[in-house]
Each structure stands twice: as structure tokens, then as C-alpha cells.
């Protein structure tokens, strides 16, 4: 096998770990190539787009994110509820995160896809779901203070959320994928809300 980890060196371990790898791989021409890459590992995650059963709305959360601030962008992103797996399944994780972040007990949950967000630099695979809720499913929400979460819960009509992708008001990739999956389902008659 030509694809291999030749060596690795831990650079930093904090919230996750940053490791420098020396790798070998098969090039398109059949020769063996070598590369050095820094790879960040913080585990896998899950996200859910919360859809109201009786009205065409989604619930998203807005919270402060350091990387957009560092890039000079608005650091208060509107996102689908998400969290890092903590030894649990993606389904268990997302049910927990929906309650903690949005104050919503998810009723029905269906998997859309598991995907890499940035396979060039991150090991993280995010499992994406669409979940349903009704008015009786709501609790407090707003995040966990001991985790430094200060979360605003936002309910938007489907069409408003879809249009916010085009206006640049929603720039989080997992949220864009989930909204586009819902939009495609609605257009093709495949939505199962």
C-alpha cells in the first residue's frame, strides 16, 4: 500500500490536538509522492436543522465564533444546533445539543449525511440531521454557562432562512447544507416533516 503515515509529531494539545504528519501517497501518474501536513483533531460532531411540524419554520442558534472575528467577519453566526460527540452516538449528541442550545426536544430525527467539512486539515466528520419539533417540545435553551455558551435562539420561516444563504447572512457550511437539503426536499415533494 502506497498511502501511509511515515511519521507524526504532536505540535499542540488543548481543545483538540494539532499534529504534523509526514505522509506518502500514490500520485495520479502512479509514482509515490510525499507530503507534510498539519492536521487538527477535535473528534467528530453532529448537527441538526430543527423544523417545526405545524408551520414552515426552522430554529437556528446565534453565537459568538472566534475564527470569523479573526478573519474580520461578523463573529455572531447563525447556525444549526451542533456539538462534538462525547463518547455518544451522533443521534444522542444532537438530541442533547438541541435541548442545551435551542431548548428543543427533538421528536423525529432523520440522517441526511455524514461528511468531512475540511478534509485537507481536519479529521472531523460531521453527521447532519433534520429533526422536527412542536410547541410542546420547547424548554429553556440558550446554552450551558459552564461551557461558555451564550446562545440566542432564532426561529425563521423556511423562505427567509433559504434567502439568507444568498445574502451572506448564513455562512456556516453545515447550516447551508442542511437548509439546501430541506429546500431540495420541499421542491421535489420529498420532505417528511
Amino acid at each position: 500500500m502506497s498511502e501511509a503515515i511515515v511519521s507524526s509529531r504532536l505540535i499542540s494539545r488543548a481543545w483538540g490536538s494539532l499534529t504534523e504528519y509526514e505522509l506518502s501517497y500514490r500520485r495520479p501518474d502512479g509514482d509515490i509522492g510525499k507530503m507534510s501536513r498539519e492536521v487538527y483533531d477535535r473528534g467528530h460532531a453532529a448537527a441538526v436543522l430543527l423544523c417545526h411540524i405545524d408551520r414552515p419554520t426552522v430554529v437556528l442558534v446565534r453565537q459568538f465564533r472566534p475564527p470569523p472575528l479573526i478573519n474580520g467577519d461578523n463573529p455572531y453566526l447563525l447556525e444549526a444546533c451542533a456539538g462534538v460527540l462525547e463518547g455518544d452516538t451522533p443521534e444522542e449528541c444532537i438530541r442533547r445539543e438541541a435541548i442545551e442550545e435551542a431548548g428543543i426536544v427533538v421528536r423525529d430525527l432523520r440522517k441526511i449525511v455524514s461528511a468531512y467539512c475540511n478534509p485537507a486539515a481536519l479529521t472531523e466528520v460531521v453527521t447532519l440531521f433534520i429533526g422536527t419539533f412542536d410547541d410542546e417540545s420547547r424548554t429553556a435553551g440558550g446554552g450551558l454557562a459552564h461551557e461558555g455558551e451564550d446562545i440566542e435562539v432564532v426561529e425563521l420561516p423556511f423562505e427567509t432562512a433559504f434567502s439568507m444563504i444568498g445574502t451572506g447572512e448564513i455562512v456556516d457550511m453545515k447550516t447551508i447544507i442542511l437548509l439546501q437539503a430541506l429546500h431540495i426536499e420541499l421542491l421535489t415533494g420529498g420532505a417528511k416533516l
Side-chain angles (χ1 to χ4, degrees), residues 9-178:
R9 179 179 66 88
L10 182 66
I11 297 171
S12 173
R13 184 182 310 271
W15 193 33
S17 62
L18 182 64
T19 304
E20 180 181 33
Y21 289 94
E22 297 294 327
L23 308 155
S24 66
Y25 67 98
R26 182 178 313 279
R27 294 172 38 165
D29 64 8
D31 287 344
I32 302 301
K34 297 188 185 295
M35 73 169 55
S36 175
R37 289 289 185 269
E38 293 176 358
V39 176
Y40 186 65
D41 180 4
R42 65 176 209 123
H44 300 306
V48 64
L49 181 63
L50 299 164
C51 301
H52 199 285
I53 291 173
D54 299 320
R55 59 183 176 263
T57 62
V58 294
V59 167
L60 301 174
V61 293
R62 186 186 320 273
Q63 57 187 314
F64 175 77
R65 297 297 197 191
L69 177 67
I70 292 164
N71 284 341
D73 295 324
N74 180 355
Y76 296 94
L77 297 189
L78 202 51
E79 306 174 42
C81 290
V84 175
L85 304 186
E86 298 172 359
D88 48 2
T89 67
E91 294 87 353
E92 292 167 333
C93 170
I94 212 52
R95 288 184 185 279
R96 177 188 71 244
E97 292 295 331
I99 292 170
E100 290 175 7
E101 292 185 1
I104 290 177
V105 176
V106 178
R107 294 187 57 175
D108 296 317
L109 189 64
R110 74 178 185 288
K111 180 179 171 182
I112 301 302
V113 69
S114 291
Y116 285 91
C117 293
N118 182 351
L122 304 176
T123 60
E124 181 180 57
V125 172
V126 180
T127 302
L128 303 175
F129 297 92
I130 292 179
T132 61
F133 72 97
D134 58 22
D135 290 335
E136 289 76 45
S137 304
R138 301 202 78 159
T139 62
L144 300 177
H146 71 275
E147 290 186 8
E149 295 178 330
D150 187 12
I151 295 172
E152 176 189 359
V153 179
V154 179
E155 188 166 349
L156 299 167
F158 287 170
E159 292 303 322
T160 301
F162 299 152
S163 70
M164 292 173 80
I165 296 169
T167 62
E169 294 169 89
I170 293 178
V171 295
D172 173 64
M173 190 177 300
K174 68 185 175 297
T175 307
I176 292 169
I177 292 169
L178 283 166

